[in-house]
Amino acid sequence: MNWGLEKELDAARNRYEDFLKEVKLSNAELASLLGVQPPPAQDIQALLDDDVTVLEYFTGEKVTYVWLVTKAGIKAFELQAGDRAMDTKSITTAVEGMLAMNITTRSRRPAPVILLPTGEDSEATQAQREQNRREFLKKTESLYQTLITPVRQFITTKKLIIVPHGILHKVPFSCLSDGGKPLVEQYEISTAPSLSAVEYVVKKRKKNNRKLIAFANPATEKTNLAFAEKDVTDIGQLFPAREAFFKQDATEGRAKQKAPEPDVIHFACHGEFNDRQPLQSGLLLAGDRDNDGVLQVHEMFGLNLKQASLVTLSACETALCRVRGGDDWAAMSRGLIYAGTPSILATLWSVEDKSTSMLMKSFYENWLQKGMSKPAALRQAQLSLKSIPEYSHPYYWAPFVMIGDWR
């Protein structure tokens, strides 16, 4: 053993512990991003409405747990598949097996591209795509049996908050199915990056004065997104006060400058998730004199979003997280909640351009014109898209998630 390196590592650990102590004293919310100490259960229960159920998951080395939390009580369950406990490896295999059948690793595109699940960078044929999608639907039923069935009989509310952990952050819970109906047909679903985030989501609720600032189809090296501009043009009609920036005007610098002003910020662009360095994940905007054009997670923490009631990330893979130190903190959603917004509408995988535009328009109409809550507005938009035969498969509607506020 290299005792010099061991001593240096101990010293670094001690410095990190001192840093965490200092952060906890000065900024409780930031501390919740860096630490793993959960909030007292009764504190979270006090914040919940009577019509809300929370499902909080934890994937352990040997077993996976789920806690069902309501205002009235808490129940805990150990998840199994048959007689076998579902450990991290089993859960990871199940989730990755499902996603490999359905999604592409490419960015938002004018048309969908499904890659072969073998890892080859080649597009599946139509026959392979249909076979993959049938397999995907079977796997959504299998995951439903593992993740939902053990707690299903105890869910008595219509609003459901999912708090995933680890690989479960990549699960499109809305399309998990009991073989008859997917969850989106049964509940208004929102997610939270961690249970500790619930406190800050509630604190950051605010009135929506319907001022929109949008960034669409920024000038980048990625595929041109014609429907992204249609996104913003259509949505803008619903806001009495609005600004929209397209192509070379949709710059990173302008996004940072304009962030404190609107109630709703809408990004219709490409996004990238960096699984190795999550804080380098970001939204791809146009570059300018002072910015490289990538609005990264670590920069999102520094935005001023105290006026914002919603940030929409109509991009790709913007809801994904990576586990660090036992807590899923390194994500765009956590950075944006810290910056001030209580709600984020984001995506779990690379989405198709035209169907995304349709869903976004429907969501905003449901929320702003029909007075639905944000999760209810998203649910209805997903159901509307699902009812169109061309877009009935979860590939099109299931990646969209409402993160944060359940109202």
Side-chain angles (χ1 to χ4, degrees):
M1 178 181 291
N2 189 322
W3 293 108
L5 288 177
E6 188 73 16
K7 186 176 181 180
E8 185 177 341
L9 179 59
D10 285 339
R13 286 171 175 162
N14 289 334
R15 289 194 300 271
Y16 183 63
E17 288 297 321
D18 290 340
F19 166 71
L20 287 182
K21 291 175 184 177
E22 183 179 345
V23 167
K24 288 178 180 179
L25 289 173
S26 62
N27 190 320
E29 183 177 3
L30 183 57
S32 76
L33 306 181
L34 302 176
V36 297
Q37 184 175 356
Q42 61 270 26
D43 290 357
I44 298 301
Q45 287 178 278
L47 297 171
L48 299 177
D49 300 320
D50 292 334
D51 61 347
V52 171
T53 297
V54 177
L55 295 181
E56 182 186 23
Y57 291 87
F58 178 80
T59 55
E61 183 177 350
K62 295 183 178 180
V63 67
T64 296
Y65 298 97
V66 58
W67 287 266
L68 185 149
V69 183
T70 65
K71 201 172 188 68
I74 301 173
K75 297 180 184 294
F77 304 83
E78 181 179 313
L79 300 184
Q80 293 183 308
D83 297 329
R84 179 171 50 88
M86 292 298 288
D87 55 14
T88 298
K89 183 177 180 181
S90 300
I91 289 287
T92 299
T93 299
V95 172
E96 290 183 344
M98 177 184 69
L99 296 181
M101 290 295 134
N102 186 55
I103 67 172
T104 168
T105 56
R106 300 183 185 183
S107 195
R108 175 172 168 168
R109 302 175 60 86
V113 172
I114 306 297
L115 301 185
L116 294 173
T118 58
E120 302 174 19
D121 188 20
S122 56
E123 185 176 351
T125 65
Q126 183 65 29
Q128 289 168 328
R129 180 184 303 181
E130 294 305 318
Q131 176 62 29
N132 287 352
R133 290 185 170 182
R134 286 192 293 270
E135 289 297 319
F136 175 85
L137 294 176
K138 290 180 183 178
K139 291 177 184 295
T140 65
E141 295 181 19
S142 177
L143 268 179
Y144 182 100
Q145 291 296 320
T146 299
L147 299 176
I148 304 299
T149 296
V151 299
R152 174 67 184 85
Q153 63 177 310
F154 302 103
I155 304 174
T156 59
T157 65
K158 293 300 292 183
K159 295 181 180 179
L160 196 59
I161 302 173
I162 306 290
V163 183
H165 180 256
I167 191 69
L168 296 182
H169 276 283
K170 295 185 177 183
V171 173
F173 280 86
S174 64
C175 70
L176 298 190
S177 173
D178 60 5
K181 293 182 178 180
L183 283 183
V184 72
E185 294 187 21
Q186 303 175 52
Y187 305 104
E188 296 175 17
I189 302 172
S190 59
T191 69
S194 70
L195 196 61
S196 60
V198 171
E199 174 186 356
Y200 301 103
V201 163
V202 172
K203 287 181 177 179
K204 292 173 182 183
R205 286 173 176 158
K206 64 208 68 167
K207 182 180 179 181
N208 174 23
N209 294 308
R210 300 197 179 190
K211 180 176 182 180
L212 170 73
I213 289 183
F215 300 86
N217 197 19
T220 70
E221 296 180 355
K222 296 287 187 176
T223 308
N224 183 64
L225 299 173
F227 281 100
E229 296 189 39
K230 186 177 186 302
D231 256 7
V232 168
T233 300
D234 290 342
I235 292 166
Q237 304 304 312
L238 302 173
F239 290 85
R242 57 188 180 269
E243 284 188 276
F245 301 96
F246 304 98
K247 296 180 179 175
Q248 67 272 10
D249 294 326
T251 65
E252 181 185 358
R254 184 168 278 122
K256 292 176 178 177
Q257 175 193 357
K258 294 287 186 179
E261 301 175 13
D263 303 285
V264 177
I265 305 177
H266 184 102
F267 293 96
C269 61
H270 291 287
E272 290 185 346
F273 178 70
N274 187 329
D275 190 59
R276 293 184 178 274
Q277 296 179 302
L279 292 179
Q280 304 302 311
S281 301
L283 301 174
L284 304 187
L285 301 169
D288 51 50
R289 185 179 62 182
D290 300 317
N291 299 277
D292 62 4
V294 184
L295 182 60
Q296 296 179 319
V297 172
H298 67 89
E299 296 174 297
M300 294 178 186
F301 279 89
L303 296 176
N304 178 357
L305 299 177
K306 294 180 180 179
Q307 181 67 26
S309 61
L310 173 69
V311 175
T312 295
L313 307 177
S314 183
C316 301
E317 300 180 348
T318 49
L320 298 180
C321 298
R322 181 179 176 84
V323 178
R324 288 297 177 95
D327 193 16
D328 305 290
W329 62 270
M332 294 186 196
S333 59
R334 199 60 190 263
L336 293 169
I337 290 174
Y338 179 77
T341 184
S343 300
I344 303 102
L345 175 53
T347 62
L348 292 173
W349 60 66
S350 300
V351 293
E352 194 257 348
D353 197 20
K354 182 178 180 180
S355 59
T356 297
S357 177
M358 296 167 64
L359 183 139
M360 286 296 165
K361 181 181 180 183
S362 178
F363 162 74
Y364 280 104
E365 288 175 344
N366 294 335
W367 178 39
L368 298 174
Q369 293 184 332
K370 300 179 182 179
M372 297 182 186
S373 68
K374 285 170 276 192
L378 175 60
R379 173 180 179 266
Q380 190 56 54
Q382 289 174 305
L383 291 175
S384 296
L385 192 63
K386 180 177 179 293
S387 69
I388 302 172
E390 182 182 355
Y391 301 121
S392 61
H393 193 273
Y395 172 86
Y396 298 97
W397 53 265
F400 300 93
V401 292
M402 183 60 65
I403 302 170
D405 197 5
W406 58 90
R407 290 186 179 177

